[in-house]
Amino acid sequence: MAGKYVISKQSNGQFHFVLKAGNGQVILSSEGYKQKASALEGIESVRKNSQIDARYERKSAADGRLYFLLTASNGQAIGNSQMYKDASGRDGGIASVKENGPSLKVEDTAP
């Protein structure tokens, strides 16, 4: 089963998207956007940049857990991952974004 993007509207009125793997697990979350069109542009940016290894910034949180950011060519963050206990989990998350990022399926739950 292929991954998909899900757009939602947050309680603050901003639009947000997540990329879900085929098993339904969220593998990448976006920032908030004022306009739905901007969220759709963010999805397109994930599609373009998810295949480029250099666009992944591998990070460590203060508590030692690991995560990654997917960035655009201008260095701006497009989305961030969940927290992982170890590097192999984080690297598996990156591989999943690379696999599911090109998905054309978008589920729009925003009113």
Side-chain angles (χ1 to χ4, degrees):
M1 181 184 291
K4 67 180 177 180
Y5 294 92
V6 180
I7 297 176
S8 60
K9 192 170 186 179
Q10 300 172 306
S11 59
N12 64 3
Q14 292 196 330
F15 296 90
H16 173 261
F17 70 84
V18 296
L19 174 58
K20 290 187 174 186
N23 65 3
Q25 182 179 359
V26 173
I27 53 175
L28 192 74
S29 299
S30 78
E31 64 183 5
Y33 296 93
K34 292 181 181 177
Q35 303 292 325
K36 187 185 290 189
S38 298
L40 291 168
E41 289 173 9
I43 289 171
E44 187 57 34
S45 186
V46 172
R47 288 180 180 136
K48 289 179 188 173
N49 291 288
S50 64
Q51 303 306 299
I52 304 168
D53 192 63
R55 299 283 191 260
Y56 292 89
E57 291 185 16
R58 292 152 176 90
K59 302 275 193 174
S60 297
D63 64 4
R65 293 184 297 164
L66 305 175
Y67 67 101
F68 63 86
L69 299 175
L70 176 62
T71 61
S73 58
N74 64 4
Q76 183 177 3
I78 308 166
N80 61 287
S81 72
Q82 64 181 2
M83 294 291 183
Y84 297 95
K85 293 180 186 176
D86 55 38
S88 66
R90 179 189 59 200
D91 292 345
I94 290 171
S96 186
V97 172
K98 286 181 176 181
E99 179 181 337
N100 293 284
S103 175
L104 297 177
K105 185 172 183 181
V106 177
E107 182 179 316
D108 187 350
T109 65

